[in-house]
Amino acid sequence: MAGVCAPQQYACMADGCTHIFGTWGDARLHMTNVCKQTRKLHGKPTIKDSGAKARTLLQSDASLMATVPHSAHAVTEDELVALIAPYYARGDLTPVHKRTQLLTDVIRPRYGQMPFGNFGHGSLEAFLERHGFEGAGHMGALAGSGRLCRARKTDGAALAAKKAAAPVPATPKFPPQRFDANAASFTPGAPMGGQQQYQGGPMG
């Protein structure tokens, strides 16, 4: 349709890399975390150059379009349910961990750093309840009471707290050192000796 622009794609700027992304933010994350591009060694990447490289790559090989992550609004509820279900079925994770770390562990690694609402399927809380992952009204009640926010903070600090709770080896204790005046030396645990008498000539 005239006047409608095609969605913009962005390519990794590393030499030899042909990865293409639907958002500039995801392209930057890939450059930093995967291709290890640093500003000091490779210069600052620009959104303009990244977009130009993406267009060049797609013009030379149209099949690369299949590797571009889906637009958030192109992801169906069924696709999200299929992605979330195995995570919620795991028995090695607590319910608190599942509901607070779902975005970090499952959704964002697949679709990039963005709010769940960008999918167009409502809030994450409502989505989980609608598809039976959480009890009806449960997530809303947690969010309303502030317990969900506290749970996110608590779960994120669980590992650090577990390490802090580990027993610390006891520091060996030694008996106090007392000064023996007669021996003119320190003897551990010995009682205090008598006063040392002056053996020299008359004073003055």
Side-chain angles (χ1 to χ4, degrees):
M1 183 184 299
V4 177
C5 297
Q8 175 66 61
Q9 285 83 36
Y10 305 92
C12 171
M13 295 303 295
D15 292 338
C17 183
T18 59
H19 278 78
I20 302 174
F21 302 87
T23 68
W24 171 235
D26 288 341
R28 288 293 304 272
L29 285 174
H30 174 87
M31 282 184 263
T32 302
N33 299 332
V34 179
C35 288
K36 307 301 182 184
Q37 296 283 289
T38 64
R39 185 178 301 187
K40 182 177 180 180
L41 296 178
H42 305 92
K44 181 181 179 180
T46 67
I47 189 171
K48 180 179 179 180
D49 291 341
S50 178
K53 180 179 178 180
R55 288 191 295 272
T56 300
L57 288 171
L58 291 172
Q59 289 171 1
S60 63
D61 186 356
S63 65
L64 289 175
M65 180 58 77
T67 68
V68 179
H70 290 274
S71 168
H73 283 280
V75 180
T76 67
E77 290 202 31
D78 289 341
E79 287 178 300
L80 288 172
V81 168
L83 182 66
I84 295 171
Y87 185 72
Y88 257 75
R90 289 178 57 176
D92 60 324
L93 301 177
T94 66
V96 171
H97 183 95
K98 291 174 185 177
R99 67 175 63 106
T100 58
Q101 302 303 314
L102 174 63
L103 285 173
T104 301
D105 291 348
V106 178
I107 296 177
R108 285 174 177 162
R110 176 74 174 273
Y111 296 110
Q113 300 291 325
M114 62 181 179
F116 185 84
N118 286 12
F119 290 109
H121 304 310
S123 67
L124 175 62
E125 291 80 8
F127 185 92
L128 293 175
E129 292 178 5
R130 185 164 67 250
H131 291 281
F133 295 111
E134 297 286 346
H138 182 59
M139 295 289 284
L142 288 176
S145 66
R147 290 167 60 194
L148 184 60
C149 181
R150 290 196 298 272
R152 288 190 174 114
K153 294 179 181 178
T154 302
D155 192 73
L159 183 59
K162 186 176 181 181
K163 290 181 179 179
V168 178
T171 303
K173 295 183 178 180
F174 299 96
Q177 292 184 339
R178 298 180 182 277
F179 180 68
D180 186 342
N182 292 327
S185 64
F186 286 98
T187 303
M192 293 294 291
Q195 293 184 349
Q196 193 173 21
Q197 296 182 355
Y198 175 69
Q199 301 294 332
M203 296 292 292

